[in-house]
């Protein structure tokens, strides 16, 4: 810029640079340019008017020197261009905003339309409207539209449409299930089931209402296929009905046959009736014209047959109850026999019970338990019996084995000379009998044993004289013992030994002498025993009397002097000795001992009375009005030599009682009171005196 222009512009020359006026004008133009450049970043309602205002303001500024004006005008022109571009964009945004607002208004109207026609609205339409509305809200200020009002109207519609869609889906699924079931039944062979379910499925499908098309198509296809299958089935059903009628006639004929059976065959008829009923149920229908006839015949025949079966089983149950009671009684009888050791008799009794059990009819449901209860005692008895006989057979086997060894030894004696072999031969017989019974083998073994000994003794005839000599020595010893000098028990024992030896010697020549010597000894032994018995009777009286006095004092409540209980020979009579101990305990205050003494006295009284009565009967002492049967002389002699010694079985059978035995029993008959004791002594002495007379 020339100096002249600068002066023209500023009114004063430049000195060392730009004048203040020019600088101010440059600042003003730069400020306008800056305002225009900032315009696109501002929110302006009317961009064109604002651009025009700023442009007018820029053009109204004073002119600048060309070198400054060119630069600022280019800057301003660029700012104008940018502002116009921003104005165009703003205009486009405003247009778009207006369009979105218009779209929102249209969508709101569309919502009202959907609400008004809600019955025809689909879920797709609702979802599409929702998507559009959400897109509009992204481009406009929510406050510029009634978003809350739209949501308040849209949400109920959407919820209802979703619910209807879900219901449609469920109806579709149900329809497809029905279609699948129809298809499955159609593929099967159960036409009755198909017919039954087809009707029910049709009702279920009709109840569904509106169904989606795809599901409805599937159902309709399955329904048509089922109808076709049933139609084909019904075409052949008439022939099947006539066939069923024929089969049912056969069943009725079979029922008539069962109805005529006797009562014994009714259980089998009942099972057959059950089977025929199942067959009847399995048969199809019959022609309508024959239905009433065949059904009536079937029902009447089955009713009659069932009535007969019911009556039969009622009688059977009654018989079973009676049989159960009878078998229970047999069980009780068997239980009573279970522990018996009478093996043969009880075994026969069990066999009889078993035979009786078999004769009884069955007890029905109770039979198993009753039979188990019946078998248990029988098993117990027969097990014990088997165990007993097993043990007995073992003993028999052991005895047989021992006797076979003795037989072998006896057979070997024939080769053994000397007295030792003879003694062994005699001992073998004792050993043989001591070995016990060998059961069924006993007879054969005994024959073998006797044969072996006979063979041995037959070879010893030369020794006969020696046996006779020995026999006479033994007989002489018996006669020596008969003088009564020896103690009776020892003498009796020795005589028994001598008799055993004499039996082994078996010397016939001395048999008569042996009998006479034994008779003499038995007479002497009887007399000796009588003397011993008299001594014992005197002794027992001397013991019993002071003991009876002590007992009398104890019963009277008096004190008992212990000296009364210090009685010689008391320990020889165990019952009196026991009574003395009890008296001593009772005197010391033992109440139990006193009660026991009372019981012992009663028992002793019975014992005394029994023995005295038996002796009185033997002696011929009877109560008034009864005749006594006198003893024969032989019986009196037997009574005098009482005891178990040298009594034959015939004599034992002839006498009802043994006076010697009774007298021995009397020695320990127990304690009585003094008066009862003296009365008992009197009766005893009288009876014994009568027996001795």
């Amino acid at each position: 810029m020339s100096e002249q222009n600068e002066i023209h512009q500023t009114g004063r020359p430049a000195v060392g640079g730009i004048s203040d006026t020019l600088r101010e004008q440059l600042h003003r133009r730069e400020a306008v340019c800056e305002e225009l450049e900032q315009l696109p970043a501002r929110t302006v309602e009317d961009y064109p008017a604002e651009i025009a205002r700023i442009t007018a303001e820029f053009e109204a500024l004073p002119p600048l020197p060309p070198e400054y004006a060119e630069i600022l005008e280019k800057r301003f022109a660029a700012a104008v261009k940018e502002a116009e571009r921003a104005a165009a964009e703003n205009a486009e945004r405003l247009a778009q905003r207006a369009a979105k607002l218009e779209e929102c208004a249209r969508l709101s109207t569309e919502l009202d339309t959907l609400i008004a026609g809600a019955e025809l609205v689909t879920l797709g339409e609702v979802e599409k409207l929702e998507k559009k509305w959400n897109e509009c809200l992204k481009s406009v200020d929510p406050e510029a539209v009634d978003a809350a009002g739209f949501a308040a109207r849209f949400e109920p519609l959407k919820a209802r449409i979703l619910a209807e869609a879900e219901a449609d889906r469920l109806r579709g699924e149900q329809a497809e299930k029905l279609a699948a079931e129809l298809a499955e039944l159609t593929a099967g062979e159960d036409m009755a089931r198909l017919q039954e379910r087809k009707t029910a499925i049709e009702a279920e499908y009709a109840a569904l209402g509106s169904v989606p098309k795809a599901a409805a198509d599937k159902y309709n296809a399955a329904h048509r296929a089922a109808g076709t299958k049933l139609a084909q089935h019904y075409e052949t059903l008439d022939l099947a009905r006539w066939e069923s009628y024929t089969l049912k006639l056969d069943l009725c004929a079979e029922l008539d046959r069962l109805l005529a059976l006797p009562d014994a065959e009714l259980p089998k008829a009942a099972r057959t009736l059950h089977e025929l009923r199942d067959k009847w149920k399995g048969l199809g229908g019959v022609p309508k014209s024959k239905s009433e006839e065949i059904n009536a015949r079937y029902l009447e025949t089955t009713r009659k047959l069932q009535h007969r079966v019911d009556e039969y089983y009622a009688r059977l149950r009654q018989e079973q109850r009676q049989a159960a009671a009878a078998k229970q009684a047999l069980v009780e009888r068997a239980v009573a026999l279970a522990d018996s050791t009478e093996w043969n008799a009880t075994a026969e009794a069990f066999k009889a019970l078993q035979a009786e059990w078999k004769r009884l009819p069955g007890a029905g449901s109770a039979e198993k338990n009753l039979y188990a209860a019946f078998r248990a005692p029988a098993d117990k008895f027969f097990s014990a019996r088997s165990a007993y006989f097993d043990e007995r057979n073992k003993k028999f086997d052991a005895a047989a084995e021992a006797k076979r060894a003795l037989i072998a030894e006896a057979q070997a004696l024939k080769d053994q000379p000397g007295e030792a072999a003879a003694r062994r031969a005699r001992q073998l017989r004792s050993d043989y009998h001591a070995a016990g019974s060998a059961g069924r083998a006993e007879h054969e073994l005994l024959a073998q044993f006797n044969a072996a000994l006979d063979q041995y003794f037959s070879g010893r005839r030369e020794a006969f004289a020696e046996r006779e000599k020995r026999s006479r020595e033994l007989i002489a010893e018996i006669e020596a013992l008969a003088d009564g000098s020896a103690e009776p028990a020892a003498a009796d024992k020795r005589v028994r030994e001598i008799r055993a030896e004499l039996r082994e010697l078996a010397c016939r020549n001395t048999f008569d002498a042996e009998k006479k010597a034994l008779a003499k000894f038995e007479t002497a032994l009887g007399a000796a025993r009588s003397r011993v018995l008299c001594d014992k009777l005197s002794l027992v009286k001397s013991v019993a009397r002071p003991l009876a006095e002590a007992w009398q004092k104890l019963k009277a409540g008096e004190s008992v002097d212990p000296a009364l209980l210090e009685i010689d020979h008391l320990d020889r009579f165990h019952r009196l000795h026991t009574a003395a101990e009890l008296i001593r305990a009772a005197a010391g205050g033992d109440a139990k001992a006193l009660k026991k003494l009372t019981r012992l006295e009663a028992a002793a009284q019975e014992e005394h009375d029994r023995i005295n009565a038996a002796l009185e009967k033997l002696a011929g002492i009877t109560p008034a009005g009864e005749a006594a049967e006198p003893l024969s002389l032989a019986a009196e002699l037997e009574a005098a030599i009482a005891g178990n010694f040298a009594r034959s079985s015939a004599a034992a059978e002839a006498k009802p009682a043994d006076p010697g035995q009774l007298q021995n029993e009397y020695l320990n008959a127990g304690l009585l009171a003094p008066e009862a004791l003296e009365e008992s002594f009197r009766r005893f002495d009288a009876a014994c005196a009568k027996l001795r007379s």
Side-chain angles (χ1 to χ4, degrees):
M1 183 181 295
S2 66
E3 183 180 352
Q4 291 178 349
N5 289 334
E6 183 181 354
I7 294 172
H8 177 73
Q9 292 291 335
T10 62
R12 59 188 178 97
V15 181
I18 301 175
S19 64
D20 294 336
T21 301
L22 179 57
R23 183 177 291 107
E24 181 181 355
Q25 290 179 354
L26 288 173
H27 286 320
R28 290 179 60 189
R29 285 184 179 270
E30 288 176 351
V32 173
C33 288
E34 290 177 358
E35 183 180 4
L36 187 58
E37 288 171 347
Q38 295 175 358
L39 184 61
R42 292 164 51 198
T43 301
V44 181
E45 291 292 332
D46 190 357
Y47 273 95
E50 190 66 18
I51 293 172
R53 180 187 66 76
I54 294 172
T55 301
E57 183 179 349
F58 184 81
E59 291 177 350
L61 292 174
L64 293 174
E67 61 273 20
Y68 293 107
E70 182 179 0
I71 296 172
L72 291 173
E73 286 177 356
K74 288 181 179 180
R75 179 180 175 186
F76 184 77
V80 169
K81 186 177 180 181
E82 180 63 26
E84 289 176 348
R85 185 192 61 76
E89 291 179 355
N90 184 60
E92 184 178 357
R93 283 196 300 274
L94 291 175
Q96 291 177 353
R97 179 172 177 273
K100 292 295 182 183
L101 290 173
E102 184 178 353
E103 177 70 11
C104 287
R106 186 185 65 76
L107 292 176
S108 179
T109 302
E110 185 176 346
L111 174 61
D112 292 337
T113 303
L114 292 178
I115 293 172
E119 297 297 329
L120 302 177
V121 176
T122 65
L123 179 61
E125 291 175 331
V126 172
E127 290 176 344
K128 184 177 180 181
L129 176 61
E130 183 179 24
K131 183 177 180 181
K132 289 180 180 180
W133 177 260
N134 290 334
E135 289 295 330
C136 284
L137 289 182
K138 292 178 182 179
S139 304
V140 299
D141 184 1
E143 296 181 357
V145 295
D146 188 8
F150 183 90
R153 288 178 293 133
F154 178 78
E155 292 302 330
L157 175 64
K158 180 181 178 182
R160 184 173 62 79
I161 295 301
L162 285 174
E164 291 177 356
E166 178 64 17
D168 284 344
R169 185 187 67 77
L170 294 175
R171 286 194 296 272
E173 289 181 356
Q174 186 63 26
E176 289 181 357
K177 288 181 180 178
L178 295 175
E181 184 179 358
L182 267 179
E184 182 180 357
L185 292 171
T186 302
E189 298 299 328
D190 191 349
M191 294 298 102
R193 178 64 177 166
L194 174 59
Q195 177 61 49
E196 178 186 355
R197 284 299 299 148
K198 179 174 176 292
T199 302
I201 288 172
E202 288 172 349
E204 292 177 23
Y205 182 79
L208 292 177
S210 177
V211 175
K213 184 176 183 303
D217 291 343
K218 289 182 181 180
Y219 171 79
N220 290 330
H223 187 265
R224 285 192 297 272
T228 302
K229 183 72 173 284
L230 286 173
Q232 294 172 352
H233 170 69
Y234 289 133
E235 289 178 0
T236 58
L237 194 59
D238 284 342
L239 292 175
R241 287 195 180 99
W242 282 105
E243 182 180 1
S244 177
Y245 174 69
T246 302
L247 294 174
K248 287 186 176 182
L249 284 175
D250 294 340
L251 291 182
C252 288
E254 178 65 13
L255 287 170
D256 291 337
R257 186 188 69 79
L258 294 177
L259 188 59
L261 289 174
D263 288 352
E265 298 185 34
L266 283 178
K268 182 178 179 181
R271 293 191 296 272
T272 307
L273 174 60
H274 182 72
E275 295 171 359
L276 293 180
R277 278 173 168 161
D278 289 340
K279 288 182 180 179
W280 183 278
K281 293 176 183 178
L283 294 174
V286 301
K288 188 174 181 181
S289 60
K290 299 293 184 179
S291 176
E292 183 175 352
E293 167 208 332
I294 194 67
N295 289 336
R297 179 181 174 184
Y298 169 77
L299 291 174
E300 180 63 17
T301 308
T302 54
R303 182 188 64 78
K304 291 180 179 179
L305 181 56
Q306 187 64 56
H307 180 68
R308 283 195 65 200
V309 169
D310 291 342
E311 287 185 338
Y312 170 80
Y313 279 110
R315 292 193 302 272
L316 180 62
R317 285 190 292 271
Q318 179 64 24
E319 291 176 358
Q320 289 174 347
R321 285 193 291 270
Q322 293 173 352
K327 289 186 175 183
Q328 181 60 42
L330 294 182
V331 169
E332 293 171 359
R333 288 166 61 186
V335 170
L337 294 173
D339 296 321
S340 174
T341 55
E342 297 292 333
W343 305 118
N344 294 332
T346 307
E348 292 301 320
F350 268 112
K351 291 177 182 178
L353 289 179
Q354 290 168 349
E356 188 173 350
W357 182 283
K358 291 178 181 178
R359 287 194 297 272
L360 291 172
S365 60
E367 179 71 21
K368 183 177 180 181
N369 291 337
L370 283 172
Y371 187 67
F374 179 72
R375 280 296 303 273
D379 290 344
K380 180 180 179 181
F381 168 77
F382 284 108
S383 296
R385 179 173 177 264
S386 296
Y388 169 80
F389 282 110
D390 288 345
E391 184 64 26
R392 190 195 66 174
N393 291 337
K394 288 180 182 178
K395 293 180 180 178
F396 284 165
D397 293 342
E401 187 66 25
K403 289 185 175 184
R404 289 188 182 96
L406 294 174
I407 291 170
E409 188 176 352
Q411 291 170 344
L413 287 175
K414 66 181 185 298
D415 299 325
Q416 299 177 18
E419 189 59 29
R423 286 196 301 272
R424 181 55 186 156
R426 291 190 292 272
Q427 183 61 38
L428 282 177
R429 190 174 297 279
S430 298
D431 292 347
Y432 185 90
H433 291 297
S437 174
R440 294 180 179 179
E442 180 63 34
H443 181 73
E444 179 183 353
L445 292 173
L446 181 60
Q448 294 177 9
F449 181 76
N450 288 333
L453 288 184
D454 288 345
Q455 183 181 8
Y456 170 75
F457 284 113
S458 65
R460 288 183 55 83
R461 289 190 179 94
E462 66 278 6
F464 179 77
E466 184 66 25
R467 291 202 307 274
E468 183 177 351
K469 179 182 177 182
R470 176 60 180 164
S471 296
R472 294 191 181 282
E473 290 175 354
L474 294 174
I475 292 169
E477 186 177 353
I478 293 174
E479 290 175 345
L481 291 171
D483 64 2
S485 60
E487 196 274 328
D492 183 32
K493 180 179 179 182
R494 177 56 186 155
V495 168
R496 288 177 184 274
E497 293 172 353
I498 292 172
R499 291 183 69 182
E501 188 174 351
L502 287 171
R503 282 196 300 271
E504 289 182 2
L505 292 171
C507 184
R508 296 178 182 177
N509 293 340
T510 61
F511 183 70
D512 291 338
E514 178 185 345
K515 284 180 63 177
K516 292 178 181 180
L518 287 174
K520 181 180 179 181
F521 174 77
E522 288 170 356
T523 302
L525 181 63
R529 282 180 170 171
S530 296
R531 290 193 299 273
V532 171
L533 181 61
C534 289
D535 293 341
K536 287 185 177 179
L537 288 172
S538 298
L539 183 61
V540 76
K541 290 178 181 180
S542 66
V543 171
R545 283 186 173 113
L547 198 61
E549 292 177 7
W551 169 228
Q552 183 69 26
K553 288 183 178 182
L554 184 64
K555 288 198 296 183
E558 300 176 11
S559 61
V560 177
D561 186 358
L564 288 176
L565 303 178
E566 299 298 331
I567 305 171
D568 292 337
H569 307 295
L570 176 62
D571 56 347
R572 295 180 62 180
F573 308 99
H574 72 274
R575 290 191 181 178
L576 295 178
H577 184 269
T578 301
E581 294 298 324
L582 290 173
I583 291 172
R584 186 176 286 107
D590 189 342
K592 291 183 179 179
L594 183 61
K595 290 181 179 179
K596 190 170 183 181
L597 279 167
T598 303
R599 292 195 299 271
L600 289 178
E601 180 184 12
Q605 185 65 60
E606 291 180 2
E607 186 73 2
H608 278 261
D609 290 343
R610 178 185 66 80
I611 295 171
N612 285 327
L615 287 171
E616 288 169 348
K617 184 175 181 181
L618 289 173
I621 301 173
T622 57
E626 292 187 9
E629 182 180 350
L631 290 176
S632 65
L633 181 60
E636 291 180 2
L637 178 61
E638 290 293 339
I641 58 172
N644 293 324
F645 172 72
R647 290 198 311 164
S648 66
S649 60
E653 292 176 358
K655 298 199 308 295
D658 180 358
Q661 179 66 27
L662 292 171
Q663 289 168 344
N664 281 319
E665 290 177 6
Y666 190 82
L667 294 175
N668 202 28
L671 176 66
L672 295 178
E675 292 182 1
L677 184 64
E678 294 302 327
E679 174 62 18
S680 177
F681 287 159
R682 184 194 64 75
R683 290 177 63 189
F684 180 81
D685 291 341
C688 290
K690 186 71 177 290
L691 284 172
R692 288 193 297 271
S693 64

